[in-house]
Amino acid sequence: MARRTKEFAERTREAILDAAEHLFHQRGVSHTSLDGIARAAGVTRGAVYWHFRDKADLFTAMQARARLPQEDVIECLLGEEGPDAYRLERLRDACREILWVMANDERRGRVYTILFHRCEYVEDMDAVAERMRLRSEQMLENLTRYFQRAARRGELGSLWQPREAAFALHGLMTGMLSHWLARPDRSEMVETGSRCLDAFFRTLRPDPVAAPGGGDRRRTGLG
Amino acid sequence: MARRTKEFAERTREAILDAAEHLFHQRGVSHTSLDGIARAAGVTRGAVYWHFRDKADLFTAMQARARLPQEDVIECLLGEEGPDAYRLERLRDACREILWVMANDERRGRVYTILFHRCEYVEDMDAVAERMRLRSEQMLENLTRYFQRAARRGELGSLWQPREAAFALHGLMTGMLSHWLARPDRSEMVETGSRCLDAFFRTLRPDPVAAPGGGDRRRTGLG
DNA sequence: CTTTACATGCAAGCCTGTATGTATATATAA
DNA sequence: TTATATATACATACAGGCTTGCATGTAAAG
């Protein structure tokens, strides 16, 4: 065959990325050959090498395509203004949504499973590893900033310092994601995960609501 | 060369395991060849194939050699009796010790870094992956049981159910380990990690010390 | 003399990178 | 508008390296 149209080429590129995503997920990154990807995509290695420099480049593109929700969510929250900004409930809901996305969005679930359990962060992947580390630092900073502002609003209890709360939440989320993404059955991921988040966020509050008689635990919504 | 003594063979075996551990850590499991391991150990592939069936077998042996502290610790705690049994402080200290071990015991640190970030849980490694999953489930069960007994002793606050506390602690530990094991510098691992654990465990307590007038947040140490 | 604890050699497969072929879309010029 | 040139989007072919698994030595321990 030969050159089709520009949009056809784009579809080829997407097919290659799809194939890579599935094969990386099934067999792991380093056990997947470019030839295997090409054939799964219905093309030859020529096409792969046309669109991507090498496997690491392909991997990066695959990762970028499933633009990970975390960063966006937090940065979005950090940009907020108004009476509801920096309420802990907002952050908790954002975390809950991340769990939901990972459990229900097949692409995100696959890509993150690959990132967690199907690739080795060495050699040609060390650029990827460095990006992952940086993102993680960035996330910690953003969370810390969020908790700082929440604390300024009186949302954070005296038991927690912003930085420790950030580390704890980040660790908690990472651990839960790692746990469930290692398993095919994610039916209880959202439910159990949300309960953990609820419990954790309740402990962040300044007034832990000693459940006086069984009253509701929501604050009156005056903000 | 030829057959030396039995103990010499054992030393050869250890040398192979040492080499494998370092190379897996440096270059990742699937990017490390048995020939590379053999040469790093000062032998040939013949020796490797004599002692181990294949790479997966070698990997398993390497993992087993650095018998992971977690299981032992928890099972040890679960076997305890007496007035101090099932105090949350005991569990917290155990978690803290795990952090310390990972930061200071080079072998454990390396092996766990490999398990977290240097291998792909697929294909020939799926037996390993299954074991990891089972361990994780086991750990969750043990933690749940511990928190149940702690709750029976009145150590657990009403905000937490044992199962959620177990999930949260497990996630928190996994996340923190994953975070720091991805980085060469673990100087603040124990300190920051311990502060997170302290904060987390304080929130588990039945009486969250509502800081009535701004007083100190530590309990009087009669426990 | 047999078994152990390796070393060495060989065949085969797989994967990568690159070089080269090729047909077509598209730009350009006449 | 048509003819031509060129860049595009791949397919194919080739060389080379790296691994693995096995088969076959081999020297010393027991």
Side-chain angles (χ1 to χ4, degrees):
Chain A
M1 320 218 179
R3 180 189 188 197
R4 280 91 154 204
T5 187
K6 207 158 195 170
E7 56 178 325
F8 200 100
E10 184 55 32
R11 252 184 286 169
T12 299
R13 195 185 124 98
E14 293 291 315
I16 292 171
L17 287 171
D18 283 343
E21 191 182 299
H22 282 91
L23 287 180
F24 286 164
H25 183 255
Q26 280 173 37
R27 306 181 195 169
V29 174
S30 53
H31 292 93
T32 300
S33 70
L34 294 184
D35 184 59
I37 293 172
R39 267 185 295 160
V43 294
T44 67
R45 267 171 51 243
V48 176
Y49 274 103
W50 172 257
H51 286 284
F52 308 98
R53 190 156 30 81
D54 51 18
K55 199 201 274 186
D57 188 37
L58 172 55
F59 183 93
T60 301
M62 180 210 68
Q63 188 188 356
R65 194 173 60 149
R67 173 71 174 143
L68 313 161
Q70 272 102 322
E71 294 108 290
D72 301 342
V73 168
I74 296 293
E75 276 165 20
C76 178
L77 284 182
L78 276 174
E80 278 186 351
E81 303 272 341
D84 259 13
Y86 308 117
R87 296 253 331 259
L88 291 183
E89 280 81 0
R90 307 273 297 162
L91 186 55
R92 183 203 58 193
D93 291 344
C95 291
R96 202 181 280 177
E97 195 197 328
I98 288 171
L99 289 180
W100 190 91
V101 167
M102 291 302 169
N104 294 98
D105 182 325
E106 296 210 7
R107 168 156 298 168
R108 304 287 170 75
R110 262 194 307 269
V111 171
Y112 254 63
T113 303
I114 294 168
L115 291 174
F116 270 105
H117 302 298
R118 304 282 199 273
C119 69
E120 304 174 357
Y121 292 104
V122 279
E123 309 256 300
D124 40 331
M125 301 285 288
D126 58 354
V128 178
E130 189 55 26
R131 273 207 313 277
M132 297 285 286
R133 276 191 289 269
L134 285 177
R135 281 189 186 182
S136 168
E137 307 284 359
Q138 185 73 36
M139 177 62 59
L140 279 171
E141 276 182 40
N142 283 340
L143 286 175
T144 303
R145 209 171 308 159
Y146 195 94
F147 282 124
Q148 278 168 349
R149 297 181 190 178
R152 236 174 274 146
R153 288 196 37 160
E155 290 262 325
L156 195 61
S158 61
L159 290 176
W160 290 94
Q161 298 297 313
R163 186 170 161 75
E164 272 101 52
F167 258 92
L169 179 58
H170 184 257
L172 180 60
M173 286 297 292
T174 306
M176 293 199 300
L177 289 175
S178 171
H179 179 83
W180 276 300
L181 289 180
R183 290 149 227 273
D185 177 25
R186 283 161 209 169
S187 54
E188 67 161 3
M189 177 173 179
V190 177
E191 200 187 344
T192 305
S194 291
R195 277 207 303 273
C196 288
L197 284 173
D198 282 344
F200 177 75
F201 272 92
R202 276 203 299 273
T203 68
L204 293 179
R205 291 212 186 106
D207 173 31
V209 192
D216 88 354
R217 52 186 175 74
R218 292 186 313 182
R219 315 165 85 197
T220 52
L222 105 95
Chain B
M1 318 217 180
R3 179 188 188 198
R4 279 91 152 200
T5 189
K6 206 159 196 170
E7 58 179 323
F8 201 100
E10 184 55 32
R11 253 184 286 169
T12 300
R13 195 186 124 98
E14 292 293 313
I16 292 171
L17 286 171
D18 282 344
E21 190 182 299
H22 281 92
L23 287 180
F24 286 164
H25 182 255
Q26 280 173 38
R27 305 182 196 170
V29 174
S30 55
H31 290 94
T32 301
S33 70
L34 295 183
D35 184 59
I37 293 172
R39 267 186 295 161
V43 293
T44 68
R45 264 171 54 243
V48 176
Y49 274 103
W50 173 256
H51 286 284
F52 308 98
R53 190 157 28 84
D54 53 18
K55 200 201 270 187
D57 188 37
L58 172 56
F59 183 91
T60 301
M62 180 210 70
Q63 188 188 355
R65 194 174 60 150
R67 175 69 175 144
L68 314 161
Q70 273 101 322
E71 295 109 290
D72 301 341
V73 168
I74 296 293
E75 278 166 18
C76 178
L77 284 183
L78 276 174
E80 278 186 350
E81 303 272 340
D84 259 14
Y86 308 116
R87 296 248 338 256
L88 291 182
E89 280 81 1
R90 307 273 297 161
L91 186 56
R92 182 203 59 192
D93 291 344
C95 290
R96 200 181 282 177
E97 196 197 328
I98 289 171
L99 289 179
W100 189 91
V101 166
M102 290 302 171
N104 294 97
D105 181 324
E106 296 210 7
R107 167 154 301 168
R108 305 288 171 74
R110 263 195 306 267
V111 171
Y112 255 63
T113 303
I114 294 168
L115 291 174
F116 271 105
H117 303 299
R118 306 282 199 274
C119 69
E120 304 175 357
Y121 292 104
V122 278
E123 308 253 304
D124 41 328
M125 301 287 286
D126 58 355
V128 178
E130 189 55 26
R131 272 208 310 278
M132 297 285 285
R133 276 192 289 270
L134 284 178
R135 280 188 187 183
S136 165
E137 308 284 359
Q138 185 74 36
M139 177 62 58
L140 280 171
E141 277 182 40
N142 283 339
L143 286 176
T144 303
R145 208 170 309 159
Y146 195 96
F147 281 125
Q148 277 167 350
R149 298 182 190 178
R152 236 175 275 146
R153 287 195 41 160
E155 289 261 327
L156 196 61
S158 62
L159 291 176
W160 289 94
Q161 297 298 312
R163 187 171 159 76
E164 273 101 54
F167 258 93
L169 179 57
H170 184 257
L172 180 60
M173 285 297 291
T174 306
M176 292 199 301
L177 288 175
S178 172
H179 179 85
W180 276 299
L181 289 180
R183 291 148 226 274
D185 177 24
R186 284 162 208 168
S187 54
E188 67 161 3
M189 178 174 180
V190 176
E191 200 187 346
T192 306
S194 291
R195 277 206 303 273
C196 288
L197 284 173
D198 282 343
F200 177 76
F201 273 91
R202 275 202 299 272
T203 68
L204 293 179
R205 291 210 185 110
D207 174 32
V209 193
D216 84 358
R217 51 189 170 78
R218 291 185 311 179
R219 314 166 84 197
T220 52
L222 107 95

